Amino acid sequence: MIDPKVTNRTRAPYYPWGAGCDGWRLLDTAELSVIEERMPPGTSEERHFHRHALQLFYVLTGQLTIEVEEDVHVLGPGDALPIVPPAPHQVRNEGAAEVRFLVISAPPTTNDRQVQ
């Protein structure tokens, strides 16, 4: 059941990841998750794929580089990129400023992430 309360980075469950990256779970149900993430310059995640989760990356601020299979995409504020399973992908912040973005996953990626 969804709790219809206003949430934000202050109220949402927080988790650190990678080397200095942050995440806030804005919505986390069995069908859908919405996470806001922050990546400092020069950070990246491991290349991986999901067997079931369709993901949408939506950039709020900064510039996010996403490699999907062999294609490299550079997204700026207002840009979105869907990633269809099981496409291998990796996000990186190759810019000079931090990047903030939303990761929307259906179903959530819990127990669905496979490192390459």
Side-chain angles (χ1 to χ4, degrees):
M1 179 171 205
I2 296 175
D3 188 358
K5 292 181 183 174
V6 172
T7 193
N8 53 43
R9 287 190 313 268
T10 302
R11 295 180 179 187
Y14 165 80
Y15 63 95
W17 64 275
C21 301
D22 303 295
W24 296 267
R25 294 187 183 281
L26 302 174
L27 179 67
D28 195 11
T29 71
E31 298 83 26
L32 178 68
S33 79
V34 179
I35 299 171
E36 181 175 342
E37 293 191 344
R38 183 194 71 82
M39 295 179 73
T43 58
S44 65
E45 68 173 346
E46 290 182 297
R47 188 170 176 81
H48 66 280
F49 68 94
H50 302 280
R51 294 189 191 282
H52 306 288
L54 168 65
Q55 294 189 297
L56 179 76
F57 287 78
Y58 180 81
V59 176
L60 301 168
T61 63
Q63 186 172 310
L64 184 67
T65 300
I66 305 178
E67 185 176 333
V68 182
E69 295 182 296
E70 302 303 320
D71 297 325
V72 176
H73 307 272
V74 179
L75 284 67
D79 290 338
L81 179 69
I83 300 180
V84 178
H89 58 281
Q90 179 188 39
V91 300
R92 302 186 295 268
N93 182 352
E94 297 176 345
E98 77 172 22
V99 62
R100 287 187 179 268
F101 55 97
L102 298 178
V103 182
I104 303 163
S105 304
T109 59
T110 306
N111 300 319
D112 187 42
R113 180 182 168 106
Q114 305 291 315
V115 176
Q116 273 198 304

